[in-house]
Amino acid sequence: MSLEKKYIIIGVTGGIAAYKSAYLVRELKKQGADVQVVMTESAKSFITELTLQALSGHPVLSEILDPKSESGIEHIEKARKADAVIIAPATANTISKINMGMADNLLTGIVLATTAPVFLAPAMNEIMWKNQITQNNIQSLRNYGFHVINPGCGFQACGGEGEGRMAEPHYIADFLDKFFNDKPLKGKKVIITAGPTVEPIDPVRYISNHSSGKMGYALAKAAYEFGADVTIISGPVHIARPDKIEVISVKTAKQMLEAVRSRVTGTDIFISCAAVSDYTVEEPKKQKIKKEDNSDELTLRLIKNTDILSTIAHSEDRPMLVVGFAAETENLEEYATKKLRKKNADIIVANDVSDTDIGFNSDNNAVTIFSKELPPKQFSNRLKTELGHDILIFCIEYLKQLNQKNYNLS
């Protein structure tokens, strides 16, 4: 069973469909999941805590700051432990709160604090479901990477009939089972470099770039959700370390190369997403360089760093799939295809960093993917979290193409 020993949080919010949550808990327990129920205060008006406690085998949680918990901050403890969070029923109110980034109760706090996949099973009146505000919230959450299990049609508590009924518990359980079982990268080892590198000039100055690391971390999350064993080798970034993904922190291009080399044996996919400094200072000063009153210039001798993408792509331990990134300001296709050949990569993901609305430091990006086996594919401006999945899906299609050419993907 794909749900065996999975720690799944079921969030129950204040809707008449809360009675179905009891059946969902039972379905997931039958499949071997360890189920923890979290209720909002309004949910307690529709179903008792005792019922859900008896079915789940755990006390129901509802307090965001609980002095009885080990740390007193239950939302962080449970968010880190969760393999999945499913909110069923998900009311229009809770959907709106999550989309706005609110954390005014334990459930919404867990949603903000978790790196696990989050599933929403909406339940509401047909008119509320079709309201453009609700639909905008749903689309926004999908863009953020949430999984929405669409409601069904049927008789509603208000006396009407139409779309808005929460999906049946057995369907939700099957949806989760398929999600965890349908893992195209299951058993694959993936290494992703992310963020900038910094090359010291002296103890207080360095050469670097504007990379935030957001794209690399989005790719790592997507690869993990597709079942891969993921390692991020990251330059200095201001991003929370994701749970259940190994993160190796480095600073310089040399350190990044050494970290990749030490772990690349047995790797199936290597994605070079980091913005690696092309040059480093030949002899960084051990003491701070003082400003000279009689000189208006400072001369630094720079030498080339070893190219990480090319080194791994030409190595004896070359992974089955090598992916590089090309951040360009002009002639995107020309430079990307040239890099594809020169670096011996399989795939190059190219983006135009001259557009200040996307790329470096932005939450959004737009890319064109070039490869040896498949035609180019363009992805318009979208969230990097969404784009991470798009790029990984392209990589999976590429691997399938290799498999048709009798490459061994086992």
Side-chain angles (χ1 to χ4, degrees):
M1 292 184 183
S2 62
L3 299 182
E4 185 77 32
K5 297 182 180 179
K6 289 285 190 298
Y7 185 74
I8 298 178
I9 293 175
I10 294 182
V12 184
T13 66
I16 189 64
Y19 77 90
K20 292 185 177 181
S21 302
Y23 295 96
L24 178 58
V25 171
R26 187 173 64 179
E27 286 286 339
L28 297 181
K29 291 285 288 184
K30 282 167 60 177
Q31 295 194 37
D34 182 10
V35 178
Q36 173 64 64
V37 177
V38 176
M39 297 179 74
T40 63
E41 284 301 315
S42 58
K44 297 176 185 178
S45 300
F46 295 91
I47 189 170
T48 68
E49 295 174 88
L50 184 59
T51 297
L52 295 172
Q53 177 177 325
L55 290 169
S56 67
H58 294 296
V60 171
L61 303 176
S62 59
E63 299 295 328
I64 193 165
L65 298 175
D66 186 356
K68 295 184 294 236
S69 71
E70 292 183 11
S71 67
I73 44 176
E74 200 77 62
H75 62 296
I76 301 299
E77 289 182 13
K78 302 307 179 185
R80 286 176 174 167
K81 186 178 178 182
D83 291 300
V85 178
I86 169 70
I87 303 178
T91 61
N93 184 52
T94 294
I95 289 168
S96 178
K97 284 182 177 182
I98 294 171
N99 188 45
M100 288 189 292
M102 294 179 65
D104 63 341
N105 59 46
L106 178 59
L107 180 58
T108 53
I110 287 172
V111 170
L112 280 185
T114 191
T115 57
V118 180
F119 302 83
L120 303 173
M124 64 197 74
N125 167 271
E126 179 186 21
I127 297 173
M128 293 176 70
W129 170 248
K130 290 183 176 178
N131 188 291
Q132 193 58 51
I133 297 172
T134 302
Q135 290 303 308
N136 289 345
N137 286 334
I138 289 291
Q139 186 56 52
S140 176
L141 290 173
R142 282 195 171 110
N143 291 342
Y144 283 128
F146 287 73
H147 305 273
V148 180
I149 304 171
N150 285 332
C153 293
F155 182 76
Q156 298 182 333
C158 62
E161 189 169 349
E163 193 175 10
R165 286 172 56 94
M166 186 180 105
E168 295 304 315
H170 66 85
Y171 179 85
I172 297 173
D174 288 345
F175 190 98
L176 289 173
D177 179 70
K178 187 175 186 300
F179 176 85
F180 282 106
N181 193 48
D182 187 17
K183 298 291 188 181
L185 295 180
K186 188 175 182 179
K188 302 298 182 188
K189 181 181 176 184
V190 177
I191 291 178
I192 300 171
T193 64
T197 62
V198 296
E199 308 299 324
I201 296 171
D202 63 20
V204 298
R205 302 180 181 91
Y206 58 82
I207 299 171
S208 190
N209 55 65
H210 295 296
S211 175
S212 65
K214 291 176 182 177
M215 190 70 252
Y217 278 70
L219 283 164
K221 187 177 182 225
Y224 173 77
E225 290 182 357
F226 282 131
D229 176 12
V230 185
T231 298
I232 303 174
I233 299 176
S234 175
V237 297
H238 300 287
I239 301 176
R241 296 171 75 95
D243 293 328
K244 302 170 186 174
I245 294 176
E246 182 185 21
V247 179
I248 309 298
S249 296
V250 298
K251 289 186 177 180
T252 68
K254 182 179 179 181
Q255 291 170 350
M256 184 171 282
L257 175 61
E258 290 172 351
V260 174
R261 274 178 165 165
S262 68
R263 291 165 177 80
V264 74
T265 301
T267 294
D268 299 287
I269 301 173
F270 172 63
I271 303 178
S272 182
C273 186
V276 182
S277 299
D278 293 322
Y279 293 88
T280 188
V281 178
E282 185 177 35
E283 293 184 4
K285 301 299 181 184
K286 294 182 180 180
Q287 303 298 328
K288 178 183 175 182
I289 300 172
K290 304 301 290 184
K291 182 167 59 177
E292 299 293 338
D293 293 335
N294 60 349
S295 176
D296 293 329
E297 297 179 352
L298 173 65
T299 301
L300 297 174
R301 183 175 173 82
L302 303 179
I303 58 174
K304 270 189 179 181
N305 277 315
T306 302
D307 189 291
I308 297 176
L309 175 62
S310 181
T311 299
I312 300 304
H314 287 93
S315 69
E316 292 182 0
D317 291 324
R318 187 192 197 280
M320 182 190 317
L321 185 65
V322 175
V323 181
F325 274 67
E328 304 293 348
T329 57
E330 60 180 350
N331 302 329
L332 195 71
E333 181 174 356
E334 177 188 346
Y335 291 151
T337 52
K338 181 179 178 180
K339 188 171 187 176
L340 185 70
R341 296 189 300 270
K342 182 178 178 182
K343 302 295 177 71
N344 194 36
D346 300 294
I347 293 171
I348 292 292
V349 182
N351 66 305
D352 183 355
V353 293
S354 66
D355 186 343
T356 56
D357 292 332
I358 59 173
F360 287 144
N361 283 309
S362 173
D363 290 329
N364 288 47
N365 207 351
V367 304
T368 302
I369 305 180
F370 301 91
S371 72
K372 290 179 177 178
E373 299 288 340
L374 298 175
K377 190 162 187 179
Q378 193 170 20
F379 293 96
S380 59
N381 190 352
R382 64 195 66 197
L383 288 166
K384 288 179 178 176
T385 50
E386 183 182 359
L387 187 57
H389 282 86
D390 295 330
I391 294 170
L392 261 297
I393 290 170
F394 186 94
C395 291
I396 291 163
E397 290 301 315
Y398 190 94
L399 289 175
K400 289 179 181 178
Q401 183 75 9
L402 293 184
N403 193 32
Q404 292 174 6
K405 292 191 172 186
N406 299 318
Y407 284 75
N408 179 18
L409 301 184
S410 62

